[in-house]
Amino acid sequence: MGILEGKRLLVTGVLVESSIAFSAARIAQEQGAQVVLSSFGKALRLTSAIAGRLPQKAPVVELDVTSTEHLDGLADALREHVDGLDGVVHSIGFAPQSALGGRFLETPWDDVAVALHTSAYSLKALTMACAPLFGESASVVGLDFDATVAWPQYDWMGVAKAAFESTARYLARDLGPRGVRVNLVAAGPLGTTAAKHIPGFDQLTDVWATRAPLGWNTADMEPAARAVCALLSDWFPATTGEIVHVDGGVHAIGA
């Protein structure tokens, strides 16, 4: 019996096999969970195709986390596949190119607003859209990148991640009495589709190459995905508002 036996999970952000979300969905199924994926727009076909590469083909619901209409209809869409939810994986982030790549001082508010809405506020929006399906307990896990410092090229996405981390803490505070745990997994730089769109991404990977005590493989999604699944399980019943670093130890090393 796996650690997620009988759990019903929504996993967002599955686009390609080389994503943390895909690995999390795969491991969750291997550990006994029933998984539903979400996607929208042009990516919907990609997600539907990649769903067939999981151990069991997962259904896909349409969800744009910036759409009030989609959020309002999410619970009903999920009920077509599951009779409740035990966990949610938030693997969603986006910033316009003007908000990345060293243009921090020039980025207009409209583009900053898109980054904050999609990458930070969406954690609250997604959680509350799923809340009608939660039972006596549930676990929400978001994918993070350490926002305690300013990283090269990351710019307004770094600000959005700081807001994301704060949002998780406030959700943990307000939803704890309902039995809902909210935690984040802060992974080191990985060669995901999103990462490849960050100008100068190699500057981040170079840091890990020299500072990670345990070493770091930018092509290995498994460690972060395992952490996600562990937090979705019942093995952390009294942990909420936490950020679990899966980064080879870089967050703990000063120089």
Side-chain angles (χ1 to χ4, degrees), residues 235-248:
W235 284 93
F236 287 86
T239 299
T240 194
E242 186 60 85
I243 301 174
V244 177
H245 291 83
V246 182
D247 65 350

Side-chain angles (χ1 to χ4, degrees), residues 44-183:
L44 190 60
R45 292 180 62 184
L46 291 174
T47 302
S48 297
I50 208 73
R53 300 183 188 179
L54 292 168
Q56 296 88 40
K57 183 175 175 62
V60 182
V61 298
E62 186 170 15
L63 173 64
D64 174 359
V65 290
T66 66
S67 166
T68 301
E69 181 182 357
H70 283 198
L71 291 165
D72 289 345
L74 179 60
D76 287 338
L78 289 169
R79 286 190 183 99
E80 296 181 11
H81 307 287
V82 290
D83 58 1
L85 277 182
D86 302 291
V88 179
V89 177
H90 181 289
S91 180
I92 299 167
F94 173 77
Q97 284 297 298
S98 68
L100 300 164
R103 294 184 288 266
F104 182 82
L105 298 179
E106 288 78 42
T107 309
W109 164 246
D110 287 349
D111 289 349
V112 172
V114 169
L116 293 173
H117 189 181
T118 309
S119 308
Y121 182 80
S122 62
L123 178 62
K124 178 264 183 186
L126 175 64
T127 300
M128 297 314 296
C130 292
L133 296 176
F134 293 160
E136 294 183 358
S137 65
S139 175
V140 177
V141 182
L143 289 169
D144 188 24
F145 190 75
D146 184 12
T148 59
V149 297
W151 295 104
Q153 312 300 321
Y154 208 46
D155 296 349
W156 285 101
M157 182 57 87
V159 176
K161 285 298 184 184
F164 183 66
E165 292 177 359
S166 186
T167 300
R169 288 189 287 269
Y170 279 96
L171 283 172
R173 180 197 69 181
D174 288 352
L175 297 180
R178 304 189 200 180
V180 180
R181 295 174 286 123
V182 183
N183 295 289

